[in-house]
Amino acid sequence: MTRIARVLKHIVVSSAAALLLVGAVSTASGEDALVDDATLFPAPMTEAVAAKRQQFFETTQPKLTPQLLAAYVERQQEIKNFKAFDVTPTGTELTEAVLSSYISKRRNDALDAIESVDTTSGPALTQAVLVAYAETKYVPTPKKVKLADSERLCLAQAIYHEARGESLDGQMAVANVIINRAFSKKYPSTICGVVFQNADKGKYKCQFTFACDGRSDEGKERAAWNRSMKLAEEAFAEFQRGERPDVLPGGVLYYHTTAVAPKWSHTFRRVAAIGSHVFYSQN
């Protein structure tokens, strides 16, 4: 603690002690008179204290002399002109040859992969090709996200209503059939297209009964619905990668419950029975 700070602290503490003493005396004597306002503040600064304060500034702060100013200016110039790295711009123009030289000296896996792609069988990348792609195939990212969410929901609804009481393999087998159909040219190419195919034709005329029975497609049993959503997310991720759940062969496109024996089951080849479902492929 500096000398001036100690002096100021001593003054404040002394004043506080005096105030407490006055209050104690007044209370002890039974007097209710208020203490004079002047006693609430430190005494005026004396000449001795002022002299010590001035001495503090004179001994701890350097005097602003011409020599000090000159030294400051010189230091600022040294900082401004600092060139310890000694790097001088070459002034070389950034040309294709310069870039090629840089690339040739360093391994670049991305460029190697691009160079190894065979593009001889496809059309040249022209402005017309880009315009045609933008007009017919380009899908903005927000729309892609919305479509993906919709596809997962359709798959979850199918798993829930068709197989929520089945084992994990039994539920994934139903998802497997739906994805097999989406990959097949005989059915719509989307999950929702497969699940709700012919749902607009009338009651019980669709591929999956729940899709056209007139009741809500949302799951009511929370635990089973959450499980269906999780399985749908896993199965749809495989579908996006061009894969399918590894429960049934890719040719399995049909199934029914063991409680019924539809006529069409005799025209297809029985492949597997999982839980309460029997799965078929074409002969």
Side-chain angles (χ1 to χ4, degrees):
M1 183 182 295
T2 61
R3 297 178 62 187
I4 185 64
R6 286 197 297 268
V7 171
L8 293 175
K9 180 179 179 181
H10 175 73
I11 294 173
V12 172
V13 171
S14 299
S15 300
L19 178 60
L20 291 174
L21 181 60
V22 170
V25 171
S26 176
T27 302
S29 61
E31 296 179 359
D32 294 330
L34 295 177
V35 179
D36 188 87
D37 290 343
T39 61
L40 298 178
F41 298 95
M45 184 178 295
T46 63
E47 294 183 1
V49 173
K52 287 183 177 294
R53 184 173 183 276
Q54 183 62 31
Q55 182 183 6
F56 168 77
F57 286 108
E58 291 179 354
T59 55
T60 59
Q61 300 294 326
K63 294 182 178 180
L64 188 61
T65 63
Q67 293 79 6
L68 182 61
L69 287 174
Y72 173 78
V73 172
E74 182 180 357
R75 178 57 179 165
Q76 293 301 312
Q77 290 295 333
E78 290 177 354
I79 295 174
K80 183 178 180 180
N81 298 326
F82 177 72
K83 293 183 179 180
F85 297 114
D86 195 22
V87 177
T88 304
T90 59
T92 305
E93 184 180 357
L94 186 61
T95 62
E96 184 178 353
V98 173
L99 287 175
S100 299
S101 175
Y102 174 81
I103 293 172
S104 63
K105 295 177 182 178
R106 290 164 174 79
R107 178 179 175 82
N108 192 314
D109 294 334
L111 292 178
D112 292 343
I114 292 173
E115 291 179 356
S116 64
V117 174
D118 183 10
T119 58
T120 56
S121 60
L125 186 61
T126 62
Q127 183 176 359
V129 172
L130 290 174
V131 171
Y133 172 79
E135 292 178 347
T136 58
K137 298 182 179 180
Y138 173 72
V139 180
T141 299
K143 187 175 180 179
K144 287 183 179 179
V145 173
K146 185 176 181 180
L147 289 172
D149 290 341
S150 178
E151 292 280 85
R152 279 190 290 269
L153 177 60
C154 290
L155 189 56
Q157 290 171 336
I159 294 173
Y160 176 85
H161 290 287
E162 295 289 307
R164 65 179 178 274
E166 298 295 311
S167 64
L168 177 62
D169 284 343
Q171 293 181 68
M172 201 55 106
V174 169
N176 206 152
V177 171
I178 294 171
I179 290 176
N180 285 349
R181 288 189 178 190
F183 280 129
S184 172
K185 295 181 180 179
K186 298 179 181 181
Y187 294 90
S189 60
T190 65
I191 300 296
C192 290
V194 169
V195 172
F196 290 94
Q197 185 179 15
N198 297 332
D200 58 339
K201 302 297 183 182
K203 194 171 184 179
Y204 303 129
K205 294 186 181 294
C206 52
Q207 297 290 315
F208 300 91
T209 303
F210 82 91
C212 58
D213 61 3
R215 291 180 293 183
S216 172
D217 298 328
E218 298 300 322
K220 303 298 183 182
E221 301 175 22
R222 182 176 297 275
W225 175 251
N226 290 339
R227 184 167 58 251
S228 297
M229 286 291 291
K230 183 178 180 180
L231 293 176
E233 185 173 354
E234 295 176 5
F236 182 69
E238 292 180 299
F239 176 68
Q240 286 184 307
R241 296 194 299 267
E243 304 171 359
R244 61 194 83 200
D246 190 19
V247 179
L248 297 169
V252 177
L253 301 176
Y254 317 96
Y255 70 88
H256 66 76
T257 67
T258 55
V260 298
K263 294 181 180 180
W264 58 259
S265 63
H266 301 291
T267 63
F268 298 125
R269 182 169 62 89
R270 177 170 170 163
V271 175
I274 304 176
S276 62
H277 290 102
V278 184
F279 299 88
Y280 299 84
S281 66
Q282 289 183 322
N283 293 320

